[in-house]
Structure formats: C-alpha cells, structure tokens
Amino acid sequence: MTIVFADTPDQGRQALDQSEVRSIPFFPIIDLPNFREVMRIEANISSSRVYHAVLEAVAHVNGQLKKYRIAAVQVGRATLAETGDSDDVINGESVKTIHYRRAVYCYAKSLLLEKYADTEPSGKAGERAEMKQHQAEDFRREAHYATAAVMGERRCDSELI
C-alpha cells in the first residue's frame, strides 16, 4: 500500500462552490452573497467561514422543520413555497420561503457573532464581545420567530412552573 501526500493544500481537491447552499429540493437555495449583504457580514470573515456557518444554520433550521416538511410532503406539497396560501406572496415569492430564509440568515448570523465575539484589535475586546453575545441572542430569537412563522405556530413558548 502506497500513501501519497499532496504537495500543496489544494492539490487533488475540487473547487467548492461557496456562493450558495443547496439543501433538499423542498427548501429554497440560500444565496451567500445575498446573506452577506442583508446581514452585513464583516469583510474580515472569510467566505469559507461564512459558508460553514450557513451550512450549520441550514441543517439546524431544516431539523426544526422536519416534521412540518414530512407532513407537507405527505399531502402532496413538493416545496416549502407550495405549503403557503396562494395569496400569501410578496414580490412573487412565497411568504413561507421568506420566513425560511430569514430563519437561516438569523441563525447563521448568531453563529458568526458568537464565533467572532472576542476578535477586536483595540483594547475594548471584552465590551465588544459582550455586545456581540447579546446580538447573537437577538438573532437566535429572530430565527426562532421565523421558524415558528413557517410552521404557523406562535412565536413564544412558555410553561407554568
């Protein structure tokens, strides 16, 4: 058995398209340049790191919507856009699709904020990290709201203790 090592880190690898994230056909494609623009992702965060944060966000949101997706497919709905009312459209796009994208964007942004909370070149790293953690919590809450909107559920869960 012969083991061969590549001379360069990229040798033998296929280029990975990091401009979008495709899930199963039921869910819409997530456009990463649009994500960067809408969520104001700082230029110092590499495309690769953004790509992986969005991958995690898509996996998380898809997991949250799994029962909803299975039920929709069982009644003949092939895509998320088909699960909404025919008049529930904005700019030609299903409101369910808009909520899904919002959930993914917000969850990915929260992951990036948490990951880069302590990266600050000045001496105010601690204050900035705390602020980013609060922002991450806000984005995570918005992702929860958007996911609930897709499923037609209430935004808040609570129980009596």
Side-chain angles (χ1 to χ4, degrees):
M1 173 186 238
T2 304
I3 299 175
V4 179
F5 294 96
D7 292 336
T8 64
D10 295 331
Q11 188 174 356
R13 294 184 186 168
Q14 288 183 326
L16 179 64
D17 177 16
Q18 294 186 346
S19 65
E20 61 185 26
V21 172
R22 291 177 177 264
S23 181
I24 60 174
F26 183 82
F27 294 112
I29 296 168
I30 300 297
D31 179 88
L32 295 182
N34 182 259
F35 166 71
R36 270 190 177 277
E37 180 183 346
V38 170
M39 301 309 286
R40 299 175 57 192
I41 304 301
E42 298 172 10
N44 66 331
I45 300 176
S46 73
S47 295
S48 180
R49 291 175 192 252
V50 168
Y51 177 78
H52 287 283
V54 173
L55 277 179
E56 176 61 30
V58 167
H60 178 75
V61 173
N62 287 5
Q64 296 291 310
L65 296 173
K66 187 171 185 171
K67 288 180 183 176
Y68 180 82
R69 175 183 55 85
I70 290 170
V73 169
Q74 287 177 342
V75 295
R77 306 290 191 250
T79 66
L80 180 63
E82 293 175 12
T83 65
D85 295 331
S86 61
D87 63 345
D88 225 2
V89 174
I90 299 174
N91 289 335
E93 186 172 37
S94 161
V95 171
K96 299 275 187 177
T97 301
I98 293 167
H99 288 310
Y100 173 83
R101 185 178 305 111
R102 179 75 179 159
V104 169
Y105 281 18
C106 287
Y107 188 69
K109 175 77 174 195
S110 74
L111 291 172
L112 291 169
L113 284 166
E114 289 169 346
K115 180 74 174 169
Y116 297 99
D118 60 353
T119 58
E120 179 66 33
S122 71
K124 298 184 179 181
E127 292 173 20
R128 181 134 166 115
E130 188 175 327
M131 182 181 71
K132 284 188 174 185
Q133 289 298 329
H134 289 298
Q135 289 175 333
E137 291 171 13
D138 291 344
F139 279 109
R140 195 174 299 277
R141 182 182 64 248
E142 288 296 320
H144 172 75
Y145 290 168
T147 304
V150 169
M151 296 184 289
E153 295 179 353
R154 296 178 189 260
R155 296 171 110 189
C156 181
D157 297 326
S158 64
E159 63 182 61
L160 295 174
I161 302 176

